[in-house]
Amino acid sequence: LLSILNQSTEDFLFLLDIEENVNWFFGDAKAKYNLGDPNKPTNTLEEMYQAVYENDIEKLSLDLEKVAKGLKKEHNMSYRWVTKDNKINWINCRGHVIDDENGRPMVMIGRVNDTVYSHYTNNITGIFNSNKLIEDLKNEIAKDEGYLLLVGIDNLAKINMKYGRELGDEYISYLANTIELINGIEYLYHLDSNVFGVYLSKSSESDVKYLFDKIQDSVKDKFNITGISVANVKGDFFIGEDLYQTAMEFIISAKKNKRCELTFYSKEEIEKKRILSEILQEMISNIRNNYDGFYLVYQPQINSNRYSLYGVEALLRYKSKKYGEIYPDQFIPILEQTNLIKVVGYWVLREALKQIKIWRQYIPNLHLNLNFSLVQLDDDDVTNEVARIFVNSKLPPNSVTIEITETVKV
């Protein structure tokens, strides 16, 4: 009957004889996985364990022991199988126990699905990826307060260039295996290239520090790691992407500036990052809406010899509809980091030239000063674009001085 039913599903149906330790898998499970002799209809649990990823065997065997002892009637577990060509697949196995006439566990009937997590795993390590973390944060683990710890390998790009990508992949797998073998880790994710995430529910900063130190001590002879930890306090994050995106931004920054360290981020720092992210999205929308919210103010420049007005300096300002006036040292770095400063900078030049042209009708030699970010100068077309804007303004080139932003080190 199970063999017939299996023809109408993509799952592998199974029947486990608990008393005899004999298992039947239906469908092409044995053709894909090392589940014992493919010419025999049955296999033992020991033979089935040959297909189970080595780090998952212990937790699986413990659960099946509870089933065999009658301590649980349902088996519902996600773990990994290894295909015959050594590809790691996450599977979900669900089974229901049927007792004999004496109330003792006799058989378990169920199904194995090896496609349910196909979009939730990393190709190199087979560990759950960022999609699974975000889903878990929305639906499960973030219900409890805890910490999200991110750990990444330092200078992996340089390692790949100097010694080859094979060594880099070996280090990634080594770090993954190191973290997996630490007792007590329930939620592990391979998030991005060489960045791994661990969610520790109902934990403290000391727990997080202990885990990071343990990982660091285990890998220090091969490579260095950097870590960041973000606290998930109820009310701080409304959806899974918030916590994940915030943590990824912090780990990228930490790997550049605080290598080989573990850094904790407070609720206030997280809130600041969240607000800046909102401002960025608002600015992107406003740039598309004719630069709504951006405006210029002009600072007079006085000739010290004659105490007369020499010119003006155009200064960019931004007013958020939600947060009001935003300080330049907050929004300009965002524009620079996202390259939006290039289009905004050209808008500043056009608007300032329009204004200076009006004022020069009354003060003919009025001079304009404005700042360009080094990011703007990195634009291959900057010379042609500036020249085009000047030609359209019909102002003499010597009426304007463009300076590099004061915060840039040359």
Side-chain angles (χ1 to χ4, degrees), residues 304-352:
S304 59
N305 293 325
R306 297 191 297 269
Y307 295 100
S308 60
L309 180 65
Y310 164 73
V312 293
E313 181 180 6
L315 302 172
L316 178 63
R317 296 293 183 262
Y318 181 73
K319 185 174 183 178
S320 166
K321 292 179 180 178
K322 183 174 181 179
Y323 296 105
E325 291 289 343
I326 308 298
Y327 291 116
D329 62 353
Q330 291 179 311
F331 76 84
I332 288 180
I334 298 175
L335 293 175
E336 291 179 334
Q337 292 162 13
T338 57
N339 281 329
L340 292 173
I341 192 66
K342 295 180 180 180
V343 293
V344 173
Y346 293 138
W347 175 83
V348 169
L349 180 58
R350 289 193 299 269
E351 293 300 304

Side-chain angles (χ1 to χ4, degrees), residues 211-228:
L211 176 58
F212 177 80
D213 290 344
K214 193 169 186 178
I215 297 170
Q216 190 175 51
D217 189 61
S218 299
V219 303
K220 63 183 179 182
D221 292 336
K222 293 182 177 292
F223 48 81
N224 295 319
I225 60 171
T226 294
I228 67 97

